[in-house]
Amino acid sequence: MKPWETVEKEQVPEVGEVVLARRDNEYVLRVRGQTLMSSRQHGSEAALADAGCAHLVGTEKARVLVGGLGFGFTVRAVLDRLEPSARVVVAELLPSVVTWNRGILASLAKAPLEDSRVTVVEGDVGRLMRKQSGAFDAILLDVDNGPSALTHPDNESLYDITGVSVAYGALRPKGTLVVWSAGPSPAFVKRLEDVGFTVQVLKPAAHGTKGPRHTLFVAQRIGKGPASVPSRQGKRPGRGG
């Protein structure tokens, strides 16, 4: 088997070493030596878009937030499901990932960042949500490996009760939050329900109908939700898709 070739590498403050590696036509992204994603397995990213945007088919001026750019597969799948009047905001903490998606990785997902409907925000998705009350019809979070499989401790702030409340507050009435995870988490489901979401758990395959099963927490906003949430700071690498 051919060895992995390092294509790009960057040392990111408070995150560590970020490496883009390639073997034949497959790319992987590693943070501090741990693989976050592979370009070979992105079936669950398409399922993420399906779950988050199903209620937006035919909707004019829908607004969607994608947390975690990754290889661009989630953003591409979202764009393919939305109308020309839609707007998609992509929050990505690592500038290098954005740069690679505009360059060497652009062809993987048919250059989604070149679509005029897309705005890229280089920064923390949790902080962006706190500033965007009632702004989105759907929020798709593909950050780290989920609430029970963190690769970076700062990411916990997205999945704790405060982070869940922030996501709830950033959604419009009947908006949908979808969270990608490497595996199940009953505690996270309860947290979502505690702030007022109704929750469905899906198990899409990583590659079409094959490969490992990932977990999607699909949560719909109901009611008015919490009036306010505590302020929280933090930086995290995004898994993305």
Side-chain angles (χ1 to χ4, degrees):
M1 183 176 292
K2 292 177 63 174
W4 288 98
E5 170 196 1
T6 296
V7 179
E8 299 282 356
K9 180 167 59 175
E10 184 174 1
Q11 193 70 30
V12 180
E14 301 183 46
V15 173
E17 187 179 62
V18 180
V19 174
L20 178 66
R22 177 178 57 203
R23 183 169 62 195
D24 293 328
N25 295 322
E26 180 183 1
Y27 288 88
V28 295
L29 185 66
R30 300 188 180 112
V31 175
R32 297 186 306 279
Q34 184 166 352
T35 298
L36 285 186
M37 72 197 74
S38 163
S39 64
R40 188 171 59 88
Q41 297 183 334
H42 53 88
S44 59
E45 281 81 356
L48 180 71
D50 281 335
C53 299
H55 67 302
L56 299 177
V57 175
T59 300
E60 295 294 329
K61 298 182 179 180
R63 195 155 186 245
V64 176
L65 170 63
V66 177
L69 173 58
F71 291 139
F73 293 117
T74 299
V75 182
R76 166 50 57 201
V78 167
L79 291 169
D80 289 346
R81 288 154 177 77
L82 297 179
E83 298 297 314
S85 62
R87 293 294 178 265
V88 180
V89 179
V90 182
E92 173 54 55
L93 181 66
L94 303 176
S96 55
V97 171
V98 178
T99 299
W100 299 339
N101 269 270
R102 296 190 189 279
I104 192 170
L105 298 176
S107 62
L108 286 179
K110 301 179 182 177
L113 300 190
E114 294 180 10
D115 193 300
S116 61
R117 292 172 290 175
V118 174
T119 299
V120 178
V121 177
E122 293 183 7
D124 180 80
V125 66
R127 186 174 300 159
L128 189 152
M129 287 191 292
R130 285 191 291 274
K131 296 178 180 178
Q132 298 284 330
S133 178
F136 300 104
D137 296 291
I139 297 174
L140 283 61
L141 296 183
D142 193 359
V143 175
D144 209 301
N145 283 330
S148 299
L150 298 176
T151 63
H152 196 283
D154 283 346
N155 291 335
E156 186 177 1
S157 64
L158 272 182
Y159 305 111
D160 64 16
I161 194 68
T162 299
V164 169
S165 298
V166 167
Y168 191 104
L171 285 168
R172 293 171 176 169
K174 298 184 180 180
T176 300
L177 167 70
V178 188
V179 179
W180 187 99
S181 177
S185 176
F188 184 62
V189 171
K190 184 177 186 305
R191 225 168 287 145
L192 290 165
E193 293 173 339
D194 285 346
V195 302
F197 284 111
T198 58
V199 184
Q200 180 184 13
V201 179
L202 304 179
K203 296 278 190 177
H207 185 66
T209 59
K210 302 177 181 179
R213 293 276 170 178
H214 295 146
T215 299
L216 297 181
F217 303 99
V218 184
Q220 185 175 30
R221 171 178 171 149
I222 57 175
K224 296 182 178 180
S228 62
V229 293
S231 176
R232 184 185 293 275
Q233 302 295 324
K235 295 185 178 180
R236 56 183 65 81
R239 201 197 78 88

